[in-house]
Amino acid sequence: MNDHRRYAHAIELLRAAKLRPTRQRMALARLLFASGHRHVTAETLHTEALEAHVRVSLATVYNALHRFTATGLLREVVVDGQRSCFDTNTTDHQHFFIEEEGQLQDIPAANVQITGLPTPPPGTSIRRVDVIVRVAKVPG
Amino acid sequence: MNDHRRYAHAIELLRAAKLRPTRQRMALARLLFASGHRHVTAETLHTEALEAHVRVSLATVYNALHRFTATGLLREVVVDGQRSCFDTNTTDHQHFFIEEEGQLQDIPAANVQITGLPTPPPGTSIRRVDVIVRVAKVPG
DNA sequence: GTGTTTGCAAAGTGTTTGCAATTTA
DNA sequence: TAAATTGCAAACACTTTGCAAACAC
């Protein structure tokens, strides 16, 4: 994706989400949605922005990640209690989590079938089923 | 379970885990493993201990929870980025998570079948598959 | 006695917040 | 110009750590 397309794509996403296309949000959206799907934390995205010479505060990165999540541009993935992880793939899918690296990898939902779930507790309904396949590196 | 059995059970668990049965660990083990399975956070267990007139510091509760987890007496469940949750049920099973309450509920593994998982990333092997069924309260 | 565990208070980590200054529509 | 957004620094919630005193074996 070239610069112009990236820009057009970013502004379109922000418009659709009814978020003002500020310089900071545009830059973050371009980093996030340039190509392919990504998993980021506030810290990694902030670092990436600074490396791309985008002046943006960490607080604004947090703010943007939450707004993007609230408007469906991102999805939050809970894998460890330490840091929040955000995924640009908002479609139904699951994750591998490589413990040593703290790295996520998507598993297409099409592959995975979950059967035999009991009915949810009385007075509740299922909002989402999260599957985290925790993997560890093996010698060799 | 009566007091004597609770005591015997706790000391047996600690011995098996090769942890010294200190007053604090004994008290926490009795609270945790008295009957049925439980989900606790450091905070809830600490509060419970104080209510039972057991003098124990929060730091020691954290310490105990981690030692218990490392020795297989407990299992950690990652459901939200805020706090660590520990489960006395260390057998293979899954969870309902009631979002409004932050409450966990076990799903027996026997029920649940997961099929179609792709092979794990090269050089890794599956350590565990965590399923969190996130449910929300519905009106009525 | 020797090594382990505890408790405290301090430090640490990741995240949120209050608010004045800036930017967007 | 009215409303939204930013950046900073302070506050926050949860967790870990350093270390002297207490404890278990």
Side-chain angles (χ1 to χ4, degrees), chain A residues 109-120:
Chain A
N111 294 345
V112 183
Q113 282 274 339
I114 303 166
T115 57
L117 284 181
T119 55

Side-chain angles (χ1 to χ4, degrees), chain B residues 69-90:
Chain B
T69 302
T71 55
L73 259 33
L74 292 177
R75 155 176 162 185
E76 194 169 353
V77 185
V78 179
V79 271
D80 79 61
Q82 303 304 288
R83 52 192 76 252
S84 298
C85 213
F86 298 86
D87 190 346
T88 59
N89 183 352
T90 59

Side-chain angles (χ1 to χ4, degrees), chain A residues 20-23 58-59 62 66 82-84:
Chain A
R20 290 190 177 177
T22 62
R23 173 177 64 75
L58 186 56
Y62 274 106
H66 287 139
Q82 303 303 290
R83 53 192 75 251
S84 298

Side-chain angles (χ1 to χ4, degrees), chain B residues 34-49:
Chain B
S35 63
H37 281 307
R38 311 202 43 197
H39 302 102
V40 300
T41 66
E43 196 68 46
T44 63
L45 184 59
H46 185 229
T47 302
E48 209 176 300

Side-chain angles (χ1 to χ4, degrees), chain B:
Chain B
M1 208 187 263
N2 64 29
D3 282 0
H4 177 265
R5 279 204 187 160
R6 251 200 283 270
Y7 178 88
H9 189 210
I11 207 162
E12 188 184 317
L13 288 173
L14 292 180
R15 280 226 190 89
K18 298 199 200 315
L19 295 173
R20 290 192 177 176
T22 64
R23 175 177 62 76
Q24 292 86 339
R25 284 181 185 156
M26 285 295 289
L28 297 176
R30 269 176 286 184
L31 290 170
L32 287 169
F33 306 112
S35 63
H37 281 307
R38 311 202 43 197
H39 302 102
V40 300
T41 66
E43 196 68 46
T44 63
L45 184 59
H46 185 229
T47 302
E48 209 176 300
L50 296 186
E51 282 169 1
H53 305 290
V54 175
R55 286 178 304 98
V56 57
S57 73
L58 185 56
T60 297
V61 173
Y62 274 107
N63 188 331
L65 288 172
H66 287 140
R67 303 298 283 280
F68 289 2
T69 302
T71 55
L73 259 33
L74 292 177
R75 155 176 162 185
E76 194 169 353
V77 185
V78 179
V79 271
D80 79 61
Q82 303 304 288
R83 52 192 76 252
S84 298
C85 213
F86 298 86
D87 190 346
T88 59
N89 183 352
T90 59
T91 67
D92 184 23
H93 69 287
Q94 312 304 343
H95 294 97
F96 283 120
F97 179 64
I98 304 168
E99 304 196 320
E100 289 88 348
E101 303 175 351
Q103 279 297 326
L104 281 171
Q105 198 170 306
D106 284 358
I107 302 174
N111 293 345
V112 183
Q113 283 274 340
I114 303 166
T115 57
L117 284 180
T119 54
T124 70
S125 70
I126 295 178
R127 180 162 289 177
R128 189 163 102 187
V129 179
D130 284 345
V131 178
I132 310 276
V133 182
R134 293 174 191 275
V135 302
K137 291 192 167 177
V138 286

